[in-house]
Amino acid sequence: MSLPAWQRSHGQPLFSARLRSQPEDFVVIEELGWEPSGDGEHDYLLIEKTSANTDWVATQLAQYAGVPVKDVGFAGLKDRHAVTRQWFSVPRWHSPDWSALNLEGVVVLEVTRHLRKLRRGAHRANQFRIVLRDLVPSAPAATNERIEIIARHGVPNYFGEQRFGRNGANLRLAEDWARGKRLSRQKRGLAISTIRAFHFNQALSQRVADGTWDQLLAGDLANLEGSASVFEVPVVDETLRRRCADKDIHPAGVLAGAESEELPDQWRSALARARVEAGNRAFRVGVRHLEVEHGEATLALQFTLPRGAYATAVLRELCEWG
């Protein structure tokens, strides 16, 4: 199942390129944004993994420490086909010796302790370093101009294509679940998140087409930069316009729930059965510390995004890739 061609905000792609030619071409470094306490009953491990799935690493850590995998914590799922640094928490019930851990593609960089399990969404941001190869055509001047626009205005906060699976496989899974197919707890969660992501991207694409993805409208929710806080905007005054222009607040859209009337009936009924409550997500994401380095038919990008934002939302405003 092919995905819709969701609207771009800053113009058509400037070039095509190869992405993830090798794991080292896609580097992700997690920023917790806070310091573990240094004591407590949970070991906190800063791990560098190469071509390894986050869930797989969590399972291996649980087996090594002799604890249930559900008690291993991490702040977010990270790309498999990449080099990533992220934190895991593991109960230290059996005092595991982490210096003896031997897993292919996994290196323990730091060990500390904390009082509580690491929860999803507990990190602040992710740093990215991405190398694009085999650029066709290579247009440094136009690329630099587009980079400046992205840095100044941000990009639409789309869920990345990976959320929907290869060739839209997760959408097919979601439709099967909505029609009543029984799924495991993990796959049911994937189906729910896919429905919500697809609906959000559709609404955001319409705002991009309307030219209002980065503007507050009366009746919007406003998301406070760097937080999950939102407030209603019954009227847009000059102060709110200025705060939005300064990216202190962002217009936010709905993550669908059981009461979302704009959903197709089958999807709404499925979310109602699962008792999914509506949430929200910013329509715009700021791109911090954006730097670019041109090479011979290559382009290296560095930037930082808040948690939950996708690097591909930045790349799609610049190029196409394969």
Side-chain angles (χ1 to χ4, degrees):
M1 179 180 296
S2 60
L3 295 174
W6 289 310
Q7 295 286 321
R8 292 176 167 87
S9 61
H10 300 314
Q12 292 302 306
L14 298 175
F15 56 86
S16 62
R18 284 200 300 137
L19 177 64
R20 302 179 196 265
S21 299
Q22 55 199 36
E24 293 77 12
D25 284 351
F26 201 101
V27 177
V28 188
I29 300 175
E30 184 177 83
E31 293 183 6
L32 272 186
W34 51 275
E35 292 293 330
S37 63
D39 58 11
E41 61 182 42
H42 294 268
D43 283 333
Y44 269 48
L45 314 175
L46 177 59
I47 283 180
E48 181 174 280
K49 61 183 186 64
T50 302
S51 300
N53 179 282
T54 298
D55 283 326
W56 178 84
V57 173
T59 299
Q60 302 308 307
L61 297 178
Q63 292 176 357
Y64 181 80
V67 301
V69 68
K70 67 180 178 63
D71 292 313
V72 175
F74 49 85
L77 295 169
K78 297 293 186 288
D79 300 80
R80 176 180 180 180
H81 302 292
V83 176
T84 68
R85 292 185 181 184
Q86 70 178 116
W87 287 92
F88 291 82
S89 70
V90 185
R92 49 178 294 103
W93 302 334
H94 308 300
S95 302
D97 177 9
W98 296 112
S99 66
L101 181 70
N102 183 18
L103 292 176
E104 183 178 359
V106 174
V107 179
V108 179
L109 301 177
E110 183 179 341
V111 180
T112 185
R113 293 165 65 180
H114 194 61
L115 302 172
R116 292 178 296 277
K117 176 184 177 181
L118 185 60
R119 299 293 181 182
R120 294 289 187 95
H123 61 308
R124 177 180 62 190
N126 293 299
Q127 302 173 23
F128 295 89
R129 177 175 171 81
I130 297 171
V131 179
L132 298 166
R133 299 186 184 276
D134 300 338
L135 274 63
V136 181
S138 180
T143 298
N144 289 342
E145 182 179 355
R146 182 69 60 85
I147 289 291
E148 290 177 5
I149 292 171
I150 291 171
R152 186 163 62 249
H153 295 285
V155 297
N157 193 21
Y158 286 115
F159 284 94
E161 288 83 351
Q162 58 266 51
R163 172 59 68 93
F164 305 101
R166 186 183 297 274
N167 299 320
N170 293 348
L171 272 176
R172 291 192 293 274
L173 179 74
E175 291 179 345
D176 289 344
W177 172 72
R179 285 193 293 264
K181 182 177 180 178
R182 294 178 64 86
L183 300 176
S184 67
R185 180 177 179 180
Q186 181 179 14
K187 287 188 176 181
R188 185 169 64 250
L190 180 60
I192 291 170
S193 65
T194 299
I195 288 172
R196 301 175 94 198
F198 185 85
H199 173 259
F200 177 87
N201 277 13
Q202 291 285 82
L204 175 52
S205 184
Q206 186 59 57
R207 290 284 289 252
V208 174
D210 294 344
T212 60
W213 65 278
D214 58 351
Q215 302 171 27
L216 282 174
L217 303 180
D220 271 349
L221 294 173
N223 166 247
L224 184 63
E225 166 69 14
S227 79
S229 298
V230 297
F231 58 90
E232 295 181 355
V233 181
V235 177
V236 182
D237 60 20
E238 188 56 37
T239 298
L240 290 176
R241 287 192 187 93
R242 184 177 66 253
R243 291 182 65 189
C244 187
D246 292 341
K247 295 198 286 293
D248 175 50
I249 55 176
H250 307 282
V254 172
L255 290 174
E259 303 302 320
S260 300
E261 295 182 358
E262 63 274 22
L263 282 176
D265 289 341
Q266 196 170 63
W267 281 11
R268 186 171 67 251
S269 297
L271 294 184
R273 291 194 302 271
R275 299 181 181 178
V276 177
E277 295 184 359
N280 55 78
R281 176 181 172 91
F283 277 144
R284 175 181 63 182
V285 61
V287 185
R288 297 189 290 115
H289 313 308
L290 178 55
E291 298 180 6
V292 59
E293 181 181 337
H294 295 274
E296 186 174 350
T298 66
L299 186 72
L301 296 167
Q302 291 190 111
F303 52 89
T304 300
L305 297 176
R307 65 176 179 268
Y310 287 75
T312 51
V314 179
L315 296 182
R316 73 188 305 277
E317 295 295 334
L318 190 63
C319 66
E320 293 180 326
W321 61 87

